[in-house]
Amino acid sequence: MPHNIAILGSTGSIGTQTLDVISRFPERFKATVLAAGSNVEQLIEQAIRFRPSLAIIADESKYERLREALSPLGIETAAGSAAMADAMERPDFDTVVTATVGYSGLLPTIRAIRAGKQIALANKETLVVAGELVTRLLAESPTRVIPVDSEHSAIYQCLVGEDNSTVSKLIITASGGPFRTFTREQIADVTPAQALHHPRWNMGAKITIDSATMLNKAFEIIEARWLFDITPDRIEAVVHPQSIVHSMVEFIDGAVKAQLGIPDMRLPIRYALGDATRLPSSERPLSLSDYAQLTFEKPDPEKFPCLTLAPYALNRGGNAACIINAANEVAVRAFLEEKISFPQIYTTITDALAAIPFVNTPTLDDYVATHRAAIAFSEEKTGCKMKLR
């Protein structure tokens, strides 16, 4: 029988690639629940092709269109973020791919953990915002998390068969984004069009801007701390422009293991859906002879100050990372709408950190309140209004 899968964020980059993997292994996987943010037409197309039991659109204004298109096919429909979270308790799937962007992935992931679902985690913000709470819930649940982010999947693969007590350091690679060779003066004047032109990966707008600021690497360091239960001082980032080495693990005997592959998210998706089983690929495999050299360099926190937010958030603890994430969501939108400059993404975040009250031991309600407060503050700061999530 096929393995039943729910996909949160089915119309995004990871979601569409997940459906591509499912289509290649129909005997192994079936998409049972599809959920999207606002792209109702693409969600309808996906539902017609994959025939899930349930299709959910988070944007409630698009619900009538979804219902009219899918109800005649016998496909159940729903709308709203609460419906997405409630769906995590359905008995007709056992694995959920969390591929939504930003804070919106937190509540459904928590509900999935409480329901004992297996999680293919592509939403890094879940652990960035509430890593301590999520790991505590995981300790009380049969849920197992397999990361989908290429960097964390690489670390996960490198740790298979290893004793965690022998791990010395996790080394997370970064492409360096489109501005790796820019000066600070050049970075000050970059445009959204330039920032959206990633040299290696084809991703959604939000994660592409996060890559350009290198805040995504700060988030990945925070996520790795919780995923792999390792102290922050033993996680570092290194710039690797070719994006062939996806991450590395250094061991106490001096050995370093690395996972290599072409920049294609379907590899970590296959690995996660297959429950750490390697499934065959029809794609052209990596050939090292195609690369004259693989280079590595230290990232420059003066050019990319968002990198410094990882050690700050991990050392500060509490709701600090939640504030960073919320302020960044607004700042990225404001930059894309040309309301602020590229460097002001960082200052918007630091201003929010100074303004929003710190909570040392936050509950879920505290995280929700912090997110709302940081969104509201950053909206006022940037003049950019977002639909609150």
Side-chain angles (χ1 to χ4, degrees), residues 159 163-170 230 234 249-252:
L159 290 174
D163 185 336
N164 283 359
S165 67
T166 67
V167 174
S168 175
K169 183 165 54 177
L170 306 183
I230 189 167
R234 293 160 59 205
V249 178
E250 179 184 295
F251 296 91
I252 57 176

Side-chain angles (χ1 to χ4, degrees), residues 143-175:
T143 291
R144 202 156 63 91
V145 174
I146 298 182
V148 170
D149 270 352
S150 60
E151 296 84 358
H152 299 93
S153 176
I155 292 169
Y156 189 95
Q157 293 176 59
C158 288
L159 290 174
V160 170
E162 300 287 355
D163 185 336
N164 283 359
S165 67
T166 67
V167 174
S168 175
K169 183 165 54 177
L170 306 183
I171 305 167
I172 298 176
T173 58
S175 69

Side-chain angles (χ1 to χ4, degrees), residues 172-189:
I172 298 176
T173 58
S175 69
F179 308 133
R180 180 178 65 88
T181 61
F182 279 39
T183 64
R184 291 182 68 182
E185 291 73 25
Q186 289 174 312
I187 289 174
D189 297 322

Side-chain angles (χ1 to χ4, degrees), residues 286-319:
L286 171 68
S287 173
L288 288 175
S289 62
D290 292 340
Y291 295 86
Q293 58 182 345
L294 300 177
T295 61
F296 303 89
E297 60 196 58
K298 288 185 176 181
D300 185 346
E302 290 193 2
K303 286 200 300 185
F304 302 101
C306 283
L307 272 172
T308 64
L309 295 171
Y312 172 84
L314 288 171
N315 290 327
R316 180 73 164 146
N319 64 340

Side-chain angles (χ1 to χ4, degrees), residues 1-7 29-34 51-56 74-76 86-96 115 117:
M1 266 183 83
H3 196 47
N4 292 324
I5 311 290
I7 305 174
F29 307 120
K30 175 174 173 50
T32 303
V33 175
L34 298 180
R51 298 300 175 98
S53 302
L54 172 66
I56 308 169
I75 298 173
E76 186 183 349
D86 289 343
M88 296 300 93
E89 297 178 4
R90 290 172 64 96
D92 55 357
F93 71 90
D94 46 32
T95 296
V96 56
K117 307 294 186 182

Side-chain angles (χ1 to χ4, degrees), residues 81-109:
S81 55
M84 196 178 296
D86 289 343
M88 296 300 93
E89 297 178 4
R90 290 172 64 96
D92 55 357
F93 71 90
D94 46 32
T95 296
V96 56
V97 179
T98 58
T100 56
V101 176
Y103 172 86
S104 62
L106 176 60
L107 295 180
T109 303

